[in-house]
Amino acid sequence: MKFYKSNKGRFIGGLIFIFIIYSCYYIFIAENRYTAEIPRKLRHLISLFATVAVYFVGTYHLGKLKVKWMSTLWHVVHISGLCIIIGIGLFYYIFLDGKAIQELSVLAQNIQEVLISPMLYVAMGLLNRTLVKQTN
């Protein structure tokens, strides 16, 4: 349990920052009834900004920890998810003139939900805790 004795504060701090970004995004953008009045491109930029902000918070807090595989896993999941979302967005704007296909929109929203949610951060902490217990 070396991770939780030496880096517990840093881990919890990162979790709090991610939770704040997640909550603000869903309160003010995703679940707000006035969001439909915001232009679609601006909504997409706000979603991208929130996702990238969570990525940087996780990178900062997990990058300072002694457990390097957590930081590597964080990078792989977020960068691949962002590439998929950006690829779907580019497909819309280049080939479909911005007209959405419902199935692809739902896929992009689900990927964005996984990336912005604090659950990925918590899951990595629980996985680390379990692995440290097994090695001791």
Side-chain angles (χ1 to χ4, degrees), residues 18-108:
I18 290 173
F19 186 73
I20 289 170
I21 293 169
Y22 178 79
S23 298
C24 288
Y25 173 76
Y26 273 92
I27 290 170
F28 297 117
I29 302 298
E31 298 295 328
N32 193 333
R33 63 181 172 172
Y34 299 112
T35 302
E37 298 172 4
I38 300 172
R40 183 197 285 176
K41 289 182 182 180
L42 181 58
R43 283 191 312 240
H44 289 170
L45 284 176
I46 292 170
S47 296
L48 180 65
F49 175 74
T51 307
V52 170
V54 168
Y55 169 70
F56 282 127
V57 168
T59 298
Y60 176 74
H61 287 279
L62 293 175
K64 297 287 184 178
L65 300 177
K66 295 175 184 171
V67 184
K68 296 300 177 192
W69 67 266
M70 288 177 67
S71 179
T72 303
L73 182 63
W74 184 262
H75 290 303
V76 168
V77 169
H78 273 80
I79 291 172
S80 62
L82 282 171
C83 287
I84 292 169
I85 291 172
I86 291 171
I88 291 171
L90 289 175
F91 177 74
Y92 281 161
Y93 289 113
I94 292 172
F95 297 110
L96 301 178
D97 296 326
K99 298 175 186 173
I101 299 173
Q102 185 64 30
E103 291 82 9
L104 283 178
S105 294
V106 170
L107 175 65

Side-chain angles (χ1 to χ4, degrees), residues 107-122:
L107 175 65
Q109 289 169 356
N110 288 338
I111 292 171
Q112 198 259 346
E113 170 71 25
V114 169
L115 296 179
I116 198 172
S117 172
M119 293 310 297
L120 178 62
Y121 193 82
V122 170

